[in-house]
Amino acid sequence: MNIETQAIHAGHQIDPASGAVTPPIHLSTTFERAADGSYPHGHVYTRDTNPNRNALEHNLAVLEGGFEAAAFASGSVATMSLLQALRPGDHVIAPNDFYFGIRKIINEIFIPWGLQVSFVDMTDLDAVRRAVQPNTALLMLESPSNPLLTVADIRQIAAIARQAGAQLMVDNTVATPVLQHPLQLGADFAVHATTKYIGGHSDVLGGAIVAREDSGVWQRVRFIQKVGGAVPSPFDCWLALRGLQTLPYRVRAQSAAALKIAQFLEQHPAVEQVHYPGLESAAGHAVAKAQMEMFGALLSFQVKGGQAAALAVAANVNLFTRATSFGGAHSLIEHRASIEHEGTTTPVNLLRMSVGLENVDDLLADLAQALTV
Ligand SMILES: *Cc1c(COP(=O)(O)O)cnc(C)c1O
């Protein structure tokens, strides 16, 4: 079936008890045993499994074309759980342009814990090959990356991982399961912050890992999920599953608008540089075209005149809300270096933008007036 149909039907069933078309939210933390001691409904305790979480996990596994998915309380803890599934002394290759929160987690938790990590420019395949060590267990990738929207060749990096006897994780949050299919391109794990496009309305925090096939690392992730319980609440699972129903239509509309905005910004005299893989001028455009259906709603651009000029643009927009995050219905704009705080490598004149579901002509008019003030 096609992804629009899967997004609506996978993990969804009419409630057998009531006939309710939308699923009930199962708040119960515990489930009844039969007289013979068995659990006829398959659930024991909500940290292990919950009907709402199972439905969300099933839907995500289907959309990514994976074996199974595990849902977590945030995108950050999803990636943490995958790193926890490794052993101290294992070596990991991570991108040097990476969601800043994950970089912080690696530097402040996992390196002290004993993981060996090389930060590498993942767009440079020779650099990735050179970074491989005998104890390399995992390659991590974010493509397009955040916030510079660089594009790495997932097929090629999956081949390097296979040759090294390591696994490849792709953070697919920026691309979504609609625009890019890391598991089909050879990755072992696709990770999502469901907080972004999947929830889609800026009202739920969550994350997930989808595995292409069963493995020792995957069993360990499942174990960590169940014994630790860093899982989304039943209501959070319900919200994420609701968001998934409209995901393909939202993402494509947002991507079409983002491309128009990127093209507008690229020819604007007040703009120094636009970072968007959909632009023909982008360094990663050819690879992006080969592995993505469209290019997403996230873009960033550098304003001429430094930090003050960038902050002035963010101050002058009316329709874009000055806020972090992306993937929701409201268009957002943010001065990225200020949210990343100390140690940031993001240019100070860079604004990151999440294009929402407003009419693109209204967004273009708003940007035009903000850039000429
Ligand atoms: C937001 C985000 C995360 C972290 O997700 P949270 O739900 O905020 O913990 C991880 N990776 C990427 C690419 C993100 O955009």
Side-chain angles (χ1 to χ4, degrees):
M1 268 184 282
N2 293 292
I3 195 164
E4 300 83 355
T5 312
Q6 291 171 335
I8 291 167
H9 287 274
H12 180 266
Q13 58 163 352
I14 304 300
D15 178 40
S18 65
V21 172
T22 55
I25 300 171
H26 295 278
L27 296 175
S28 186
T29 53
T30 188
F31 299 85
E32 188 186 29
R33 270 187 204 249
D36 65 1
S38 67
Y39 286 97
H41 301 286
H43 301 288
V44 176
Y45 184 64
T46 206
R47 174 154 46 69
D48 298 334
T49 64
N50 168 280
N52 296 102
R53 194 161 85 237
N54 288 16
L56 172 62
E57 290 177 344
H58 180 67
N59 189 299
L60 288 168
V62 169
L63 293 199
E64 282 288 15
F67 158 70
E68 268 183 13
F72 288 91
S74 72
S76 300
V77 87
T79 296
M80 280 181 75
S81 303
L82 186 55
L83 294 174
Q84 282 178 317
L86 306 178
R87 286 166 308 200
D90 280 347
H91 176 249
V92 170
I93 299 174
N96 61 359
D97 184 37
F98 209 5
Y99 179 74
F100 80 107
I102 304 292
R103 201 163 54 211
K104 198 151 64 180
I105 284 168
I106 290 173
N107 282 328
E108 296 189 19
I109 300 176
F110 285 97
I111 291 177
W113 177 73
L115 215 57
Q116 294 172 16
V117 183
S118 305
F119 289 98
V120 173
D121 174 359
M122 303 301 276
T123 66
D124 179 348
L125 294 174
D126 285 329
V128 179
R129 283 188 199 101
R130 278 197 306 274
V132 171
Q133 296 179 15
N135 59 337
T136 302
L138 184 72
L139 280 73
M140 304 175 82
L141 191 59
E142 190 182 298
S143 185
S145 71
N146 193 342
L148 292 177
L149 287 304
T150 62
V151 176
D153 190 323
I154 298 175
R155 272 191 203 90
Q156 297 280 354
I157 292 174
I160 295 171
R162 245 192 323 277
Q163 205 162 18
Q167 291 180 297
L168 172 64
M169 169 218 128
V170 176
D171 187 327
N172 204 30
T173 303
V174 172
T176 80
V178 179
L179 304 182
Q180 178 170 278
H181 307 283
L183 305 184
Q184 277 89 310
L185 296 168
D188 299 279
F189 305 106
V191 171
H192 288 281
T194 55
T195 314
K196 311 292 170 47
Y197 290 99
I198 288 173
H201 299 75
S202 307
D203 55 11
V204 60
L205 191 78
I209 308 178
V210 189
R212 191 186 61 219
E213 59 190 23
D214 203 2
S215 67
V217 170
W218 177 247
Q219 287 306 319
R220 194 82 189 149
V221 166
R222 275 294 198 199
F223 172 77
I224 290 163
Q225 182 200 29
K226 290 180 180 187
V227 298
V231 291
S233 74
F235 182 47
D236 290 351
C237 293
W238 187 94
L239 280 172
L241 190 66
R242 182 173 73 160
L244 277 160
Q245 297 178 67
T246 52
L247 179 72
Y249 293 95
R250 286 188 284 108
V251 171
R252 289 186 185 126
Q254 286 169 267
S255 297
L259 179 60
K260 280 192 183 168
I261 289 174
Q263 287 164 342
F264 163 80
L265 291 171
E266 190 178 36
Q267 51 72 45
H268 198 285
V271 174
E272 189 178 287
Q273 200 184 343
V274 182
H275 305 276
Y276 187 66
L279 290 174
E280 280 175 22
S281 58
H285 182 65
V287 176
K289 238 174 104 170
Q291 66 189 22
M292 299 182 75
E293 177 191 308
M294 293 174 85
F295 306 98
L298 193 67
L299 64 99
S300 59
F301 62 104
Q302 291 170 250
V303 183
K304 282 184 193 160
Q307 170 157 334
L311 288 172
V313 173
N316 287 327
V317 286
N318 298 315
L319 284 176
F320 291 82
T321 304
R322 286 176 298 279
T324 192
S325 200
F326 59 88
H330 289 80
S331 290
L332 307 178
I333 196 164
E334 73 169 327
H335 181 248
R336 193 67 193 162
S338 338
I339 189 122
E340 296 184 351
H341 304 299
E342 79 275 15
T344 178
T345 51
T346 300
V348 295
N349 65 338
L350 181 138
L351 295 172
R352 194 184 78 172
M353 175 185 287
S354 171
V355 178
L357 286 164
E358 300 93 341
N359 187 296
V360 66
D361 293 333
D362 296 330
L363 296 175
L364 287 167
D366 189 27
L367 284 171
Q369 67 76 28
L371 282 162
T372 50
V373 171

